[in-house]
Amino acid sequence: MRSLTDQDIRGSFVNCSKGEAKRLFVPRDLGERVWEDLDFLGWRDPGAPDRTYLVTERADQGRLVGVALRFQPARRGYLQRSMCSLCLTTHPRGGVSLMTARRAGAAGREGNSVGAYMCADLACSLYLRGRKVPESGMRIEETLTLDEQIARTLGNLHAFLDKV
């Protein structure tokens, strides 16, 4: 992923107003990110514990697409394991949450939303590359190459964004 600026990020949101995009929290460490390790930028709003944001490049559309998401923190179970629908990383005890996004346009104004189970920390790109290890200590071994896993993750992400 190419490096993004605050302005790039704020201008990319498809499911919130320009005023909402102007007021949302954007990470201050954009200059320190290792952009080549990211397939999308995801972050939580420290001032609103139920809000998270995701921005990705859509090469097929030639633009950035950002979505504002809400989530209910997962209940922590001792025996429960969940799988992220984007990167297929399994996590124990609340490492995956249902993220919901208000749909863009009139449907969103009427209260319609879509959801997907995602890594609660939105670090899918880092899990795929082995830069971050899930709490369980490992990912399920796959026969796909890293490039194929990245393509699958982006395909899953784009399918979700198309619903928004």
Side-chain angles (χ1 to χ4, degrees):
M1 182 169 193
R2 69 178 171 91
S3 68
L4 302 177
T5 66
D6 185 272
Q7 186 177 2
D8 292 334
I9 292 168
R10 292 183 191 281
S12 71
F13 284 89
V14 297
N15 68 337
C16 61
S17 70
K18 289 184 182 192
E20 289 171 320
K22 185 177 180 180
R23 291 186 301 272
L24 65 82
F25 171 81
V26 174
R28 290 173 179 78
D29 65 346
L30 295 176
E32 301 165 18
R33 300 274 173 147
V34 183
W35 293 98
E36 55 272 1
D37 284 347
L38 299 178
D39 303 307
F40 62 87
L41 175 65
W43 71 98
R44 284 182 149 173
D45 186 335
D50 67 335
R51 290 190 190 151
T52 190
Y53 307 98
L54 187 147
V55 176
T56 190
E57 294 178 284
R58 291 291 304 259
D60 58 334
Q61 297 177 0
R63 66 183 183 120
L64 288 173
V65 176
V67 291
L69 302 159
R70 288 188 179 263
F71 71 99
Q72 180 75 28
R75 295 184 190 137
R76 296 197 175 259
Y78 290 102
L79 301 175
Q80 179 182 355
R81 294 185 64 82
S82 301
M83 181 180 282
C84 173
S85 65
L86 299 182
C87 66
L88 306 185
T89 298
T90 59
H91 295 272
R93 298 182 296 278
V96 172
S97 293
L98 176 63
M99 306 276 183
T100 57
R102 184 175 65 208
R103 295 191 67 192
R109 290 189 292 277
E110 292 174 5
N112 295 327
S113 62
V114 295
Y117 287 94
M118 298 180 196
C119 294
D121 59 3
L122 295 174
C124 297
S125 302
L126 301 178
Y127 291 124
L128 289 176
R129 290 166 174 81
R131 304 270 192 265
K132 189 169 185 179
V133 178
E135 191 177 318
S136 62
M138 62 179 204
R139 287 189 73 231
I140 295 172
E141 190 173 330
E142 296 191 63
T143 57
L144 297 177
T145 67
L146 177 59
D147 288 338
E148 291 169 331
Q149 291 178 49
I150 291 168
R152 179 189 60 207
T153 299
L154 288 174
N156 293 339
L157 175 60
H158 293 170
F160 172 72
L161 293 175
D162 290 343
K163 295 175 188 174
V164 175

